[in-house]
Amino acid sequence: MEEFSYEERQKIVEETIEKYMKYVSPGLARLFKFANLATVEWEGKGAQVCDIFGEAYIDCIGGFGVFNVGRNHPRIVEKAIEQLQRLPLSTRTLFNKQQADLAEKLAQITPGNLQYSFFCNSGAEAIEGALKLARLYTKKKKLVSCIHSFHGKTMGALSVSGREVYKKPFEPLIPETYQVPFNNIGAMREVVDEQTAAVIVEPVQGEGGVNIPSPDYLPQVREICTRVGALLILDEVQTGLGRTGKMFACEHYGVVPDILTLAKGLGGGIVPLGAFISTAEIWQVFEENPLIHSSTLGGNPLSCAIGLETLKVLEEEGIPRKAHEKGQYFLGKLQGLREKFPDLVKEVRGMGLLIGVEFFDSDMASLIAMEMAARKVLVVYTLNNPCVIRLEPPLVVSWEELDIVGEALEDSLQAVRKIVEEVMK
Ligand code: PLP
């Protein structure tokens, strides 16, 4: 960064914002500026990201939960450089060792008899594949999901997602999709029947506002699916890989899905990588035509080598357990703040380091995010519930950093309380 003078950095920021206005998205540019984020990200390490002026932010957005192993983990960067220099992309016709190794590792660490993996480049793509596999295997069409769920913004993933504002403009979406309230087993039982290909659920709703189901909800959904012959797809794109304090959130509930989807953290915080994983029995439907579902860039040697190293780092550094411990500690602190600011904070909830703070209205949540940004902590509201801000730091966040986030939130709450009092005068 030393290569630039202050004026040059200033110019880079101005030019980048101008190019966003002209070539990327004027709406997004205005949103970033409004949120006190009129700067350019430049480098990152651990749980922090630095802007071009060297100003460090504790990143509680973490690319919406991508940096489970932290930014630029040295082991993962080293593995990436080695693979990058040797063979980053595949011919797609010779055997790809990195893909085979990653698929084997996933078979070993995922619950139950999940065995085969298909690799892609994003969460939404993993969902598309999972939905297609369910229809192919069951030869049925009906898909059931939950209100406020978030599964991505491609047409299929959007069809099973649960917020109208993102769906309405694109209708008609794919037919025979039904949404029921989350954590309401009666509603699920009413809709899921012998015509159902799959039920897709997040073990904890992330973008819905960090909604944690009662302990018996997922086991009962599993039971219903098994009874009617529908497949259970658990979307662990956000909850997987240690985020909730276990490697997979479904382990909290003792539930094994028929198809599991992953993305976000699987790419080690440095590349895009998604996957859907299923059983040998279900995977048989790909045998007749193994190219019925494919991706040119999915499962490339570079991303798979990184994916495997990421899983090893998660295991060897005990990151899921640490996420549990730090999550408990942090949640305790946040509960304290809720008691101190009952006029602003409605509820605090979380599992591991997937934590939501719910405010009484979405303006308060936006104001808090702006105040936090001014205090060099990045937070943002959840996509399907703008009253909730997420605290989803890299799982390697230190105890000290969590304390700093807690203090920044307390100061921000004081500041917002003053603003509210002024307005009410
Ligand atoms: N599924 C869940 C649970 C998610 O949280 C997300 C993204 O936030 C997705 C799917 C879509 O992932 P992507 O944005 O990589 O397409």
Side-chain angles (χ1 to χ4, degrees), residues 64 122-125 127 150-152 202 207 235 237-238 263-264:
F64 307 133
S122 70
E125 229 188 304
I127 301 299
F150 188 89
H151 300 292
E202 296 160 85
E207 300 303 325
D235 179 353
V237 165
Q238 188 153 182
K264 293 196 188 265

